[in-house]
Amino acid sequence: MTHMNYIYLAVFGYLPYAVVSIFAAGVVFRLVGWLRPTSLTGLYNVNATVNGYSYPRITAEILKRIFLFYTLTDADPALLIGSILFHWGIWIALIGHIGLLMTPSQLESIGISPGLHVTLARVIGGLGGVMALLGILILIARRLVNIRVRVYGFTVNVPLRMFSYLDDYFADALLLAIIALGLVQTLWLEYVEPGFFESTVAPWIWSLASLNVGRAIGYIAGAPPVAQAHVILAMVFIAYFPWGKMMHPFSLIYISPTVARPSIRIRVRSIQGG
C-alpha cells in the first residue's frame, strides 16, 4: 500500500467514525451538563423544567423560533435578514444532501428519474447554497463593524468585535468555506462532471455505513479534489459542533429557561405597620 493510500485510509476511512463518535459524545456531554449543572454558569443552567407550560406549547414555541425568527425584530435588520437567509439556506441545502444520498432505485420508486434528480439537486442545492452564502456574509460583516440598534426609541452603538472570540471567527470561516465549496460543486462541477456525487461521495457514505472501509476508499478516491476538501471541512465542522456555539439548536429543546418557563412575575404586597 502506497503512502497516499494510507492517507486516504486514515482520512476517509477511519476518521469519519471518530468524527461521528466525537459528535455523539459531545452532544450527550453538553446536554448532561445543562441538565445537571454543578454551578450557575449561564442561563442554560438556571432551569430545566416546564413550570406549568405544556409540552405541546413549548414545542410550538420552539418551532416558531426555529422557522420564523419572530423574536428577532427589525431593530437589527442585519441580524434578522442574515439569520433568515443563512438558516433557511442551510436547511434547504441539507434537504438537497439527503436527496443525493438516495439510491436510483429508491428515487425511481417515488417517480424521480436520474435526470430529474440531478436537476432538482442543482436547483435546490444552488438555491440553498446562495441563500446560505449571502446570509453568512451578512452575519460576518455585521460582526466586523459597529452596528446601531434601536431599543425602546433609543439608538445604541454595539461594538460586536468586542463580543467576538476566536471560536466565533473559526466557526464563521469554516461555514463560509464549506458553503463556498458546496456551491462550486453544485453550480460548476456538476456541469463539468455530471453525476460525480452519485458515483463517488454517495456510495462512499453508504459503504462507511455498512462498515465496508475498503470499498469506501475506492469510491472517494475518484471524487474531485473540491469534493474531497468539502468532505474534510464538513467532518471538521461535525466534530467541532457540540463543543462550540453551534450547539445552540439543541438548547431549544426544553432546556433554555427563556422557552421552558413563563416569565417571572413579581407581586408586591404592602406591609402593614403595627
Side-chain angles (χ1 to χ4, degrees):
M1 183 178 289
T2 65
H3 180 68
M4 183 60 67
N5 288 337
Y6 280 117
I7 294 177
Y8 270 95
L9 184 62
V11 175
F12 298 105
Y14 298 116
L15 183 59
Y17 298 112
V19 167
V20 173
S21 300
I22 293 171
F23 175 85
V27 169
V28 172
F29 176 81
R30 293 293 296 275
L31 291 178
V32 170
W34 287 339
L35 292 171
R36 301 183 63 182
T38 56
S39 62
L40 183 60
T41 58
L43 286 178
Y44 294 123
N45 293 339
V46 174
N47 181 54
T49 60
V50 295
N51 285 343
Y53 271 24
S54 65
Y55 283 99
R57 181 173 179 180
I58 297 173
T59 303
E61 174 68 17
I62 292 171
L63 293 176
K64 284 168 60 180
R65 295 192 182 199
I66 291 175
F67 292 105
L68 300 180
F69 298 93
Y70 79 99
T71 56
L72 301 179
T73 66
D74 57 1
D76 188 353
L79 177 60
L80 177 61
I81 297 172
S83 297
I84 291 175
L85 286 173
F86 172 73
H87 288 90
W88 272 100
I90 290 296
W91 294 330
I92 293 173
L94 288 176
I95 293 174
H97 279 70
I98 294 173
L100 288 171
L101 293 177
M102 295 180 67
T103 63
S105 59
Q106 291 173 333
L107 290 170
E108 290 180 358
S109 66
I110 59 176
I112 299 178
S113 65
L116 179 60
H117 180 209
V118 173
T119 301
L120 290 175
R122 290 173 180 171
V123 173
I124 295 176
L127 175 63
V130 170
M131 289 176 61
L133 179 62
L134 292 175
I136 193 68
L137 289 175
I138 292 173
L139 295 175
I140 291 175
R142 175 182 174 274
R143 186 182 296 279
L144 296 177
V145 300
N146 293 339
I147 64 171
R148 298 169 65 88
V149 179
R150 290 192 60 80
V151 181
Y152 297 111
F154 297 94
T155 301
V156 181
N157 291 320
V158 182
L160 284 178
R161 280 176 292 183
M162 295 180 60
F163 304 103
S164 300
Y165 301 93
L166 181 60
D167 62 324
D168 297 314
Y169 294 111
F170 173 76
D172 287 341
L174 185 58
L175 285 168
L176 180 60
I178 292 173
I179 294 169
L181 289 176
L183 278 174
V184 169
Q185 295 176 82
T186 302
L187 302 181
W188 174 70
L189 199 57
E190 270 292 347
Y191 289 94
V192 178
E193 299 182 36
F196 79 92
F197 192 97
E198 293 83 351
S199 61
T200 57
V201 181
W204 167 70
I205 295 175
W206 285 117
S207 297
L208 288 178
S210 61
L211 304 180
N212 194 332
V213 176
R215 176 176 291 182
I217 298 304
Y219 285 121
I220 197 65
V226 173
Q228 294 178 0
H230 184 74
V231 167
I232 292 173
L233 291 179
M235 289 193 293
V236 173
F237 177 77
I238 293 171
Y240 164 77
F241 183 94
W243 312 103
K245 295 177 182 177
M246 293 293 104
M247 183 67 178
H248 67 273
F250 288 87
S251 69
L252 288 174
I253 306 177
Y254 311 117
I255 293 176
S256 175
T258 59
V259 176
R261 64 174 294 173
S263 301
I264 297 176
R265 298 175 181 176
I266 299 176
R267 180 177 300 173
V268 180
R269 301 178 61 181
S270 60
I271 301 177
Q272 301 293 334

